[in-house]
Amino acid sequence: MELRKLLWSRRTWVTILLIDALPTLVGVLLAVTDLGPRPGTGPAFLSAVLTDGTLFPLAALAIVLPLFLPIAVAVTAGEAIAGEAQQGTLRYLLVRPVGRTRLLVAKLVSVMAFVVLTVVVVAATAYVVGTLLLGSDSVSAGTTSVSGSGLSTQEMALRTLLALAYAMLCMLGVAAIALFLSTVVRSPLSAALGTMGVLATSTVLLTLDAAHLLQPYLPTRYWLAFVDLFRDPILWRDVERGVLLQVVYVVVFLGAAWANFMTKDITD
């Protein structure tokens, strides 16, 4: 039922299209204007993207991951429980023979289905836009890595799947925080804003030298580490730390959400 509600919701597809529109617009602007640096100059990642459009899905992830995708995930997960409570339907859901754990898991699966769908649409659109407008080196020398060396089609496909999985894990951490807040408050807006407050605080602290002791433990610290998957050789350090950090956040906040929801007195 949750998946059906997700797929048949007009808001789901409008949100995905809006998120997908930004990297598409950036790709068009890079292709038809001189806004980007010339190939071989500027940041290594941007230079590699301009040289080989098959890397543009990574640029698209880097565009939507810091802000737009987390906002969408925070809103979707924040509404999971608090939205039902605000509409007065939560009590009737729990009166039916549906356990609280099962309901919480169903909500989480629905949120992650939204994440997977959004990431796949963004990556697929970016691949088409990149190869059509920015070109591809795959025919001659394989895909160009961020380090400048060549990658085979199989290596590129595997690393792209790893990058997509890594981005989804990061968004699972966001969903866990929002789902926990959704079990605490009665307003989905409060849950979403609370989640965005946590992420905004993390982003600000990453820019402050005085917070260097906290920075390795902030939820947004390693979000863009997936770029290291496209270096040759792969730099695993930040990727591994990012995976471990997100797993900790997921376990802690999903555990807190479950504990709070299982003991919550549903009276409205």
Side-chain angles (χ1 to χ4, degrees):
M1 289 178 61
E2 291 296 327
L3 291 176
R4 188 181 302 115
K5 285 166 54 180
L6 173 73
L7 295 176
W8 284 97
S9 172
R10 181 181 302 176
R11 188 182 70 177
T12 298
W13 297 105
V14 170
T15 302
I16 292 175
L17 290 176
L18 289 175
I19 294 175
D20 192 39
L22 180 60
T24 301
L25 177 61
V26 171
V28 173
L29 291 177
L30 288 174
V32 302
T33 69
D34 296 327
L35 293 178
R38 293 180 179 276
T41 64
F45 179 60
L46 182 56
S47 178
V49 170
L50 293 175
T51 303
D52 189 350
T54 58
L55 287 171
F56 190 63
L58 310 179
L61 282 180
I63 292 171
V64 303
L65 194 59
L67 180 61
F68 299 100
L69 185 55
I71 291 177
V73 174
V75 171
T76 303
E79 193 179 18
I81 302 299
E84 300 284 1
Q86 186 181 62
Q87 296 173 14
T89 57
L90 182 59
R91 179 177 59 181
Y92 299 103
L93 277 175
L94 297 179
V95 166
R96 302 172 65 185
V98 177
R100 296 192 180 195
T101 300
R102 182 181 177 187
L103 177 61
L104 201 62
V105 170
K107 294 291 186 180
L108 179 62
V109 170
S110 177
V111 173
M112 288 313 300
F114 169 77
V115 172
V116 172
L117 191 60
T118 304
V119 169
V120 169
V121 169
V122 169
T125 304
Y127 181 82
V128 173
V129 171
T131 53
L132 290 179
L133 300 182
L134 300 177
S136 172
D137 289 340
S138 59
V139 175
S140 58
T143 303
T144 305
S145 71
V146 176
S147 303
S149 58
L151 296 176
S152 67
T153 303
Q154 292 78 8
E155 288 177 322
M156 183 61 184
L158 177 59
R159 297 187 188 200
T160 300
L161 290 176
L162 289 176
L164 296 180
Y166 184 84
M168 294 173 190
L169 177 61
C170 292
M171 292 303 99
L172 179 58
V174 176
I177 297 174
L179 194 60
F180 165 68
L181 294 178
S182 185
T183 66
V184 175
V185 300
R186 292 180 54 186
S187 169
L189 180 60
S190 298
L193 290 178
T195 305
M196 291 309 303
V198 172
L199 301 180
T201 301
S202 173
T203 302
V204 171
L205 289 177
L206 286 175
T207 65
L208 302 178
D209 293 336
H212 69 278
L213 293 178
L214 295 176
Q215 289 174 355
Y217 310 103
L218 297 175
T220 61
R221 171 63 179 86
Y222 300 104
W223 273 7
L224 298 181
F226 65 84
V227 175
D228 290 339
L229 293 170
F230 295 87
R231 303 186 189 277
D232 192 21
I234 296 176
L235 299 180
W236 289 104
R237 186 188 65 175
D238 284 354
V239 175
E240 292 172 349
R241 292 179 178 180
V243 169
L244 179 60
L245 183 63
Q246 294 304 321
V247 168
V248 170
Y249 272 99
V250 169
V251 171
V252 170
F253 280 96
L254 285 185
W258 177 82
N260 182 65
F261 191 52
M262 291 297 290
T263 58
K264 190 177 183 67
D265 184 16
I266 308 298
T267 57
D268 55 351

